[in-house]
Amino acid sequence: MLKVIRSQLHTLFLPALFWLAGITVATKISYHWFINLAVIVSFLFMIFLPKLRIYIILILILLLGWMHTTSYLQSSTNEIGYFLTNDSTINEVFNYKVLERKQTGSGKHYYIIKVKKLNDYPLKGKLLLYNAPDSLKLFHIYQTPLSVSNIKKANNPAEFDFQKYYQYAGIQGSSSANGPTKMLGKEITLWQRLKLFIISKIENTFKIDKSMALALFLGEKGILNINRTVLSEMGLLHLFAVSGLHVGIIYLTILTLLTLFINKQYARIIASLLLIFYGYLCGWSPSVFRTVLIIFIYNLTFLLQRKISFLQLISLTLFIITIIDPLQIFSVGLQLSLSAFIALWLADRKIIPYLYGFKRKYKFNKYLFKFSQYLIYSLSVIIFIAPLSAYYFNIISLNAVITNFFATPIVMLMLNIILLSVFIPQSFIAQDYLAKAFTLLNVIFNKIIEYAGFLPFFTRRVALSTAELIAIILLVLTSFFLFKRYRYVTIIFLVSVGVLFGLILSGLFVKYQNQVICFDAGKADCNYLEFAEGKNMLIDTGSQEQYPNIMQNSVIPYLKKRHIHNLDKVIITHAHEDHYGGLLLLTKNINIKEIVIHQTALKDEIFAKIIQDIETEINVTALTDTISFWEGKIRFLHPYDNYESSNMNNNSLVIQACYDDYKLLFTGDIEGEVEERIARHYGDKLQSDFLKIPHHGSITSSSTMFLEMVNPKSCFIPAGNSDRNKFPNPLVLKRLKNMNIKTWVGADDGALIMKITKAN
């Protein structure tokens, strides 16, 4: 074992792993004085215990990674992040410089800005800027009254954590313009002038397709409208983010052109320097930085006539990247890029040699051989990035094998055309021919996207939890250490674990528990109930109009990450979009055994059309108190006696769920008339430990009489003070406070997750 560690220490691979472990620990555990003490003790052990020196060095590297990252995470007093807390908002006049223009999935523009001053106080740091004029120019200085706050944490389980994502990108907060914007001037460095010149040249050359050209060459997607969901299913999304593929194509093109005129050794040097400039143009995104660094290190060792192994190359690259910015290791782009790079290397070293053997033995046709090579490389990349794709995006797409076979050569040609246009004078007639060729290729590329949309080889049914992703990474690392010495044992072990993972992902070992999740769906209802007996249900499905991300980004991913592929019941309380909006999307991703609605819901034409298009069994009821299932755990209290109101809110199904002696009441959007009606009818039976507040905390509901009759210990309000309808109403909040009812407001406090135990 010691021999194995020594060999890996020599390649920098194991030290790199411990360094990365130290970075990870630093993001979870704050700096403490005992780290310094541990470093001193480690040095002493190295002196007096030489036999343990290697182990101590590894521990020391971990501690140094911890210390380095801790110091990196601390904001200084001249940074905007120092003044921001979770609840604070700064409303002041800021001077700032525009660094990048971005676009949301819905097509709205926003900016990444660099703060210069808060009033007259010099300040540093990057912010997201929303609600600013679309006319803001790159690298210009502006003055605007801004409302600045922390980037909001994920409010729901399984929701993508944008706060961490932007923190890892060096962005410290979010801002919104709340006043007139004044341009103060320019602050453009030589490099920025060159970038603007290249952008201008691309826009002038490719007038029709400038958005596509800027997206492919520089990653500038601010004016490009793309459907990220569809492209991810096709396996083509990576082509619209400047990645290692783009950098590799650019480098090989430059190198090939230079070798026509100068010695190859000098060509490598010049190509490497130009590649560094290209990295700057692309904003040094993690995948670009990684690729440029690897090429630069490889060329440097080649020029110095030094050999460097694959592991040394990867390890040294990671050391350099994380010394500059430790948090880059958490970048999704860097993780995917590294995984793809490792997959290509393994395929080239371990699988392709067998293919050459088959070629010699069976005399393959050269085109069949080339296609086989492509297939091996593609499948290797897909297999290696599959765990990350399932973890971050809840998708695994085999479409990439087909789509990239056709799309990648087109993109290569398009990048080469753009690169040539950059070096050719603007007035040169060849620019017109390049533009026409690019337009033709763009038409072909769009046709590929159009036809690729019909490919079915992807799944959104696979998702991994954090624990499962870590387990897979550890499994791969363990296999790496054991494979050379115990090859067949390792293969049997991998196959066995693979089968086990397959059974886990299928949902065979799902452990149900008594719990309730009230999702933060904005001013919309979405509540998940789960019972230890293996039953589950959803009461309402949120809104696709007001809060379109709740179903796709939280509810469905949460169920998939727990490998729950079925819902026993989905209950739609009434036919308002903020209660049924996510139903259609839910049915496309999760198997639903039965949907329960009240007959009055079918009077809504839109909802009736949606129900008609769904194949799931629909239970339409008139007398809700006659519905009985789950041994009395679920009781429908309203409407009863064929009650029907012209006010759709008052037709809401009212459900009481029971976990042993713990009762929860879900009320839809009922208003005062129904509150009084069911209070008289049920009396003490209405009492519940938890209440989902009716109608988002509107003043038309939650009467004192009703609250006293229910007498809950806690409650959830699906709304927030930022709601344009001013839900929840201050008077309702005051009533709840006076009755000592613990109140959870969705938009302010996030999702409410309750584990129901006997202690409740």
Side-chain angles (χ1 to χ4, degrees):
M1 183 65 181
L2 192 60
K3 186 177 179 181
V4 173
I5 290 178
R6 282 200 182 101
S7 66
Q8 299 308 325
L9 190 62
H10 175 69
T11 62
L12 294 178
F13 179 63
L14 206 56
L17 289 182
F18 274 77
W19 172 263
L20 297 179
I23 293 172
T24 306
V25 171
T27 61
K28 305 296 181 183
I29 305 174
S30 301
Y31 174 82
H32 196 272
W33 62 266
F34 76 78
I35 301 176
N36 292 334
L37 179 61
V39 171
I40 295 169
V41 171
S42 297
F43 274 115
L44 292 174
F45 279 159
M46 283 177 61
I47 296 170
F48 297 108
L49 298 172
K51 289 185 178 181
L52 299 177
R53 190 168 292 164
I54 291 175
Y55 298 103
I56 296 168
I57 288 173
L58 294 174
I59 294 171
L60 191 59
I61 290 170
L62 184 149
L63 294 173
L64 290 173
W66 188 351
M67 291 175 66
H68 175 65
T69 307
T70 301
S71 63
Y72 184 88
L73 290 170
Q74 293 172 344
S75 297
S76 62
T77 55
N78 65 340
E79 290 186 348
I80 184 66
Y82 181 82
F83 299 95
L84 292 174
T85 61
N86 288 334
D87 301 322
S88 67
T89 300
I90 301 172
N91 293 291
E92 297 290 347
V93 177
F94 284 81
N95 292 4
Y96 56 90
K97 179 179 179 179
V98 177
L99 298 179
E100 293 182 61
R101 176 176 168 140
K102 298 284 189 178
Q103 183 173 279
T104 64
S106 59
K108 294 182 179 179
H109 291 108
Y110 68 99
Y111 299 90
I112 296 177
I113 62 173
K114 181 181 179 181
V115 175
K116 308 292 288 183
K117 287 183 180 179
L118 188 161
N119 295 326
D120 293 325
Y121 181 74
L123 210 59
K124 297 192 302 183
K126 292 181 183 178
L127 296 172
L128 302 173
L129 174 60
Y130 298 94
N131 299 332
D134 287 346
S135 57
L136 297 190
K137 297 179 180 179
L138 291 179
F139 312 128
H140 282 57
I141 308 294
Y142 294 92
Q143 185 181 77
T144 309
L146 299 179
S147 179
V148 181
S149 59
N150 253 327
I151 296 169
K152 196 174 181 181
K153 289 184 178 180
N155 264 9
N156 289 298
E159 194 173 69
F160 188 80
D161 194 339
F162 281 100
Q163 187 181 70
K164 284 187 177 180
Y165 172 79
Y166 285 118
Q167 180 191 10
Y168 298 154
I171 297 170
Q172 296 175 315
S174 176
S175 64
S176 179
N178 54 14
T181 297
K182 178 182 177 183
M183 189 177 77
L184 301 179
K186 300 179 183 179
E187 189 182 273
I188 306 179
T189 65
L190 175 61
W191 294 108
Q192 290 168 346
R193 287 182 189 277
L194 285 171
K195 181 173 182 176
L196 288 176
F197 171 75
I198 290 172
I199 290 174
S200 175
K201 194 168 185 182
I202 290 173
E203 289 177 337
N204 290 330
T205 302
F206 308 100
K207 293 183 176 68
I208 300 174
D209 308 292
K210 63 181 180 181
S211 58
M212 185 66 166
L214 288 171
L216 287 179
F217 191 66
L218 298 176
E220 297 281 343
K221 299 187 288 293
I223 56 174
L224 180 68
N225 291 318
I226 57 174
N227 189 323
R228 289 177 172 81
T229 301
V230 173
L231 287 172
S232 66
E233 292 174 356
M234 297 177 191
L236 292 174
L237 188 59
H238 68 102
L239 295 178
F240 291 91
V242 179
S243 63
L245 173 67
H246 296 68
V247 177
I249 293 170
I250 296 294
Y251 173 73
L252 291 174
T253 301
I254 294 173
L255 186 63
T256 303
L257 290 173
L258 288 174
T259 51
L260 296 175
F261 306 100
I262 60 176
N263 179 281
K264 192 167 185 178
Q265 189 169 353
Y266 292 115
R268 285 178 182 272
I269 297 172
I270 297 172
S272 298
L273 294 174
L274 289 174
L275 206 59
I276 291 172
F277 174 61
Y278 179 68
Y280 170 78
L281 291 178
C282 300
W284 287 119
S285 66
S287 55
V288 170
F289 187 29
R290 187 271 305 168
T291 310
V292 171
L293 192 57
I294 285 175
I295 292 173
F296 188 82
I297 292 171
Y298 181 79
N299 281 340
L300 185 62
T301 56
F302 182 83
L303 293 171
L304 296 174
Q305 297 182 346
R306 300 279 186 178
K307 287 186 177 181
I308 186 167
S309 69
F310 171 77
L311 285 177
Q312 285 174 315
L313 186 59
I314 288 290
S315 303
L316 186 57
T317 301
L318 284 174
F319 266 121
I320 294 172
I321 289 172
T322 51
I323 286 171
I324 295 171
D325 180 0
L327 299 183
Q328 280 299 318
I329 194 60
F330 301 108
S331 162
V332 181
L334 181 62
Q335 292 172 12
L336 289 170
S337 184
L338 279 172
S339 298
F341 187 63
I342 293 169
L344 290 172
W345 178 82
L346 286 173
D348 189 64
R349 294 297 180 89
K350 306 297 181 183
I351 304 175
I352 294 299
Y354 289 105
L355 186 63
Y356 277 104
F358 277 110
K359 181 185 178 184
R360 287 191 297 268
K361 187 174 182 179
Y362 298 106
K363 297 181 180 180
F364 271 18
N365 177 281
K366 66 176 182 178
Y367 296 109
L368 180 60
F369 177 74
K370 290 290 183 184
F371 178 75
S372 301
Q373 270 187 310
Y374 164 78
L375 201 62
I376 289 169
Y377 286 131
S378 293
L379 286 174
S380 298
V381 170
I382 289 170
I383 290 168
F384 257 74
I385 70 170
L388 290 171
S389 183
Y391 178 71
Y392 287 112
F393 311 116
N394 305 318
I395 185 171
I396 294 177
S397 177
L398 293 177
N399 287 339
V401 176
I402 301 171
T403 56
N404 281 276
F405 181 76
F406 296 100
T408 302
I410 301 296
V411 170
M412 289 176 65
L413 290 172
M414 294 169 85
L415 283 171
N416 285 326
I417 287 173
I418 299 169
L419 191 62
L420 285 173
S421 74
V422 170
F423 287 102
I424 293 174
Q426 187 67 53
S427 58
F428 199 56
I429 193 170
Q431 292 282 26
D432 294 332
Y433 293 105
L434 290 174
K436 290 176 181 178
F438 189 89
T439 299
L440 176 62
L441 290 171
N442 196 18
V443 170
I444 296 171
F445 185 79
N446 285 318
K447 283 293 181 183
I448 291 171
I449 291 177
E450 181 183 336
Y451 289 116
F454 298 103
L455 294 173
F457 307 114
F458 72 94
T459 177
R460 290 192 176 275
R461 298 184 67 87
V462 178
L464 294 178
S465 65
T466 303
E468 289 165 345
L469 179 64
I470 293 171
I472 290 173
I473 293 171
L474 292 175
L475 176 66
V476 171
L477 290 173
T478 304
S479 302
F480 172 78
F481 285 117
L482 296 178
F483 189 75
K484 283 187 178 180
R485 182 169 293 186
Y486 308 105
R487 177 173 298 185
Y488 296 110
V489 174
T490 305
I491 292 172
I492 294 170
F493 174 67
L494 285 173
V495 171
S496 302
V497 173
V499 171
L500 179 61
F501 258 107
L503 294 173
I504 291 171
L505 295 177
S506 71
L508 187 64
F509 301 123
V510 174
K511 183 180 180 182
Y512 285 85
Q513 54 192 322
N514 289 326
Q515 70 162 345
V516 175
I517 301 176
C518 298
F519 287 92
D520 167 31
K523 198 203 76 174
D525 279 29
C526 187
N527 309 286
Y528 174 70
L529 283 70
E530 185 177 296
F531 298 87
E533 293 93 332
K535 300 288 186 179
N536 62 359
M537 64 186 295
L538 201 66
I539 300 176
D540 290 327
T541 59
S543 169
Q544 287 296 99
E545 293 178 1
Q546 300 175 34
Y547 201 170
N549 294 330
I550 181 62
M551 185 58 64
Q552 182 168 326
N553 294 351
S554 183
V555 178
I556 294 171
Y558 171 77
L559 294 173
K560 287 181 177 178
K561 283 185 184 296
R562 292 190 56 213
H563 313 305
I564 295 174
H565 305 303
N566 303 291
L567 282 168
D568 291 286
K569 310 282 181 186
V570 172
I571 300 173
I572 304 298
T573 57
H574 63 292
H576 279 164
E577 199 278 336
D578 58 326
H579 291 256
Y580 70 72
L583 180 61
L584 202 56
L585 182 61
L586 181 68
T587 58
K588 292 178 181 179
N589 288 272
I590 302 294
N591 298 322
I592 302 171
K593 295 180 181 178
E594 183 184 35
I595 297 173
V596 180
I597 62 173
H598 189 258
Q599 63 180 6
T600 55
L602 295 176
K603 294 186 176 182
D604 183 276
E605 292 182 5
I606 298 175
F607 180 69
K609 178 68 167 56
I610 291 173
I611 287 295
Q612 190 176 11
D613 294 340
I614 293 174
E615 296 180 0
T616 305
E617 179 186 345
I618 310 296
N619 186 339
V620 181
T621 177
L623 296 171
T624 52
D625 60 349
T626 64
I627 297 178
S628 176
F629 52 88
W630 296 357
E631 299 177 357
K633 287 182 179 292
I634 301 294
R635 297 176 60 215
F636 289 82
L637 308 183
H638 175 80
Y640 59 92
D641 295 339
N642 290 325
Y643 173 90
E644 187 172 326
S645 172
S646 59
N647 179 355
M648 184 62 77
N649 285 340
N650 280 332
N651 294 321
S652 296
L653 293 168
V654 177
I655 303 118
Q656 191 176 57
C658 303
Y659 293 81
D660 296 325
D661 295 329
Y662 194 85
K663 296 180 181 179
L664 304 96
L665 191 65
F666 296 89
T667 54
D669 280 353
I670 62 170
E671 299 185 12
E673 174 193 331
V674 172
E675 289 182 344
E676 183 179 351
R677 177 184 173 88
I678 62 175
R680 285 200 313 267
H681 182 81
Y682 290 103
D684 293 341
K685 293 180 180 178
L686 199 61
Q687 193 280 324
S688 300
D689 300 278
F690 169 83
L691 171 67
K692 198 287 297 182
I693 293 294
H695 200 195
H696 317 287
S698 167
I699 192 60
T700 60
S701 307
S702 303
S703 65
T704 302
M705 180 272 297
F706 179 73
L707 292 175
E708 288 177 345
M709 190 64 71
V710 178
N711 192 27
K713 298 173 185 174
S714 59
C715 67
F716 179 81
I717 306 177
N721 290 317
S722 60
D723 185 85
R724 61 184 178 86
N725 293 320
K726 304 302 179 185
F727 290 151
N729 189 280
L731 289 177
V732 172
L733 292 174
K734 186 176 180 181
R735 287 175 198 161
L736 296 170
K737 183 178 180 181
N738 291 338
M739 296 178 68
N740 294 319
I741 300 171
K742 187 176 180 181
T743 303
W744 200 274
V745 181
D748 298 334
D749 303 313
L752 174 60
I753 303 174
M754 295 184 291
K755 307 292 183 184
I756 311 298
T757 63
K758 291 184 178 180
N760 291 116

